[in-house]
Amino acid sequence: MRLSAEGVELRYDRKVVARNLSLEIPDNQVSVLIGPNGSGKSTALKSLARLLRPAGGRVLLDGASIQSLPTKEIARRLAILPQVLTTPEAITVEDLVWFGRHPHRRTVGAPSPQDREMVEWALRSTDTAALRDQYVDQLSGGQRQRVWIAVCLAQQTDLLLLDEPTTFLDVTYQLELLDLLARLNGEEGKTIAMVLHDFNMAAEYADHIFVLAAGELVCQGTPREVLTKETMRTVFSLDVEIGVNPRSGRPLVIPLRRRPAPHRVARQTVPGSPTRS
Ligand code: ADP
């Protein structure tokens, strides 16, 4: 395993989020973390990327404690899209995407053809090339999200950790992004681990799902193993039906409303209003 957490204790000052969390990110697979709000998914992801130092236990990257590795070294192997992104002021899209190349560049010297190629590829892959000269802080939420994803892609790492990468994206861009990640996994063997809220997106794209609740890994496995009525009830307090996606054969989670639909009284036709056939 290239990246794993071994019995980590995760906390913010005195607030303990996880006491003894262990998980191994499967190599060359797409894994997804799900769990209720506040269950510790973002915190776990941050610790895996060394953005948060565990109070106990350790995170291993390629067999070494991640705390012992130089930042540049980590950034060449692992990119993270955190949930909260702080965009520098008055920076253009293209300049921000160039930040992704920092771990690969020497402090002096012109960018290499590979640097340029990766930046162009990252812009193209996220459909942000047309925005290259715009200021990032003037973009819509969805456009900005795509630009930050481009920064991660330009970093050219084998491991990609993404915290709710589909936030702000409309469904078309959500699918485009998840398809892109699936392609990077399928064609280049990149290891992807991400937090997703949508069970059906998780079902469709994950090879492996981790279910977190109150800082504990309550179960893990394939979408079919994990996305069951039982998990939905016990972990999410949700009543669901599980169907089958007719295309992929993967599970389809259908949350059921808690109260039955109200009985509708036939509406009276307002004179002059268009009649429905
Ligand atoms: P999830 O990603 O599953 O929604 P988080 O990892 O964001 O959960 O949060 C886990 C717990 O840690 C929550 O109770 C949250 O309020 C708390 N928390 C998250 N970030 C911070 C922080 N920066 N400082 C203090 N508490 C935090």
Side-chain angles (χ1 to χ4, degrees):
M1 289 295 162
R2 295 200 56 192
L3 184 64
S4 60
E6 287 186 348
V8 290
E9 179 182 333
L10 304 175
R11 51 161 65 207
Y12 299 100
D13 297 322
R14 257 175 284 160
K15 184 181 171 63
V16 178
V17 177
R19 286 191 195 285
N20 182 15
L21 178 68
S22 297
L23 50 87
E24 294 182 355
I25 303 298
D27 275 350
N28 313 116
Q29 291 197 13
V30 176
S31 41
V32 171
L33 280 79
I34 61 171
N37 287 146
S39 56
K41 304 177 297 293
S42 294
T43 307
L45 213 63
K46 278 193 270 181
S47 75
L48 288 168
R50 213 196 57 175
L51 298 182
L52 180 82
R53 190 190 185 101
R58 55 189 193 155
V59 170
L60 295 176
L61 175 60
D62 295 325
S65 163
I66 202 166
Q67 301 298 335
S68 69
L69 297 170
T71 305
K72 207 165 178 176
E73 192 53 51
I74 296 172
R76 276 194 217 121
R77 299 190 219 168
L78 176 161
I80 182 167
L81 177 80
Q83 202 175 21
V84 181
L85 299 158
T86 321
T87 307
E89 252 177 75
I91 187 165
T92 64
V93 167
E94 183 171 344
D95 287 348
L96 188 64
V97 175
W98 271 98
F99 268 90
R101 295 306 299 165
H102 272 205
H104 299 280
R105 294 183 62 189
R106 280 166 302 192
T107 28
V108 284
S112 69
Q114 196 192 18
D115 290 328
R116 290 184 198 288
E117 209 177 289
M118 286 307 297
V119 167
E120 288 308 314
W121 171 78
L123 289 165
R124 260 195 331 270
S125 302
T126 52
D127 198 16
T128 51
L131 307 172
R132 67 172 74 227
D133 297 322
Q134 294 199 33
Y135 287 114
V136 180
D137 51 14
Q138 290 173 5
L139 300 178
S140 76
Q143 290 171 327
R144 202 174 313 142
Q145 184 78 355
R146 277 157 38 219
V147 171
W148 275 108
I149 290 162
V151 179
C152 288
L153 295 182
Q155 217 176 308
Q156 202 185 4
T157 57
D158 290 341
L159 280 153
L160 272 169
L161 308 183
L162 307 114
D163 196 348
E164 293 185 39
T166 53
T167 309
F168 301 117
L169 302 185
D170 62 37
V171 178
T172 311
Y173 275 124
Q174 287 184 27
L175 290 172
E176 219 157 87
L177 169 65
L178 293 171
D179 283 340
L180 169 67
L181 295 173
R183 210 166 59 236
L184 291 173
N185 164 259
E187 291 171 7
E188 299 180 27
K190 287 194 194 286
T191 301
I192 316 256
M194 58 187 157
V195 175
L196 289 181
H197 272 296
D198 188 316
F199 299 129
N200 290 318
M201 294 290 189
E204 204 50 25
Y205 287 93
D207 298 310
H208 191 84
I209 297 181
F210 296 101
V211 184
L212 290 192
E216 285 186 26
L217 181 60
V218 289
C219 62
Q220 59 176 316
T222 62
R224 199 185 294 248
E225 287 164 348
V226 163
L227 298 173
T228 61
K229 281 188 175 189
E230 173 71 9
T231 313
M232 292 296 138
R233 192 170 45 243
T234 53
V235 179
F236 295 92
S237 310
L238 268 182
D239 202 10
V240 304
E241 285 295 334
I242 305 290
V244 178
N245 180 316
R247 279 267 189 99
S248 63
R250 289 177 177 239
L252 252 189
V253 181
I254 306 157
L256 304 172
R257 56 192 294 173
R258 297 191 177 201
R259 289 160 188 269
H263 175 68
R264 291 201 194 286
V265 179
R267 285 204 197 113
Q268 283 185 337
T269 315
V270 180
S273 66
T275 47
R276 275 199 243 151
S277 52

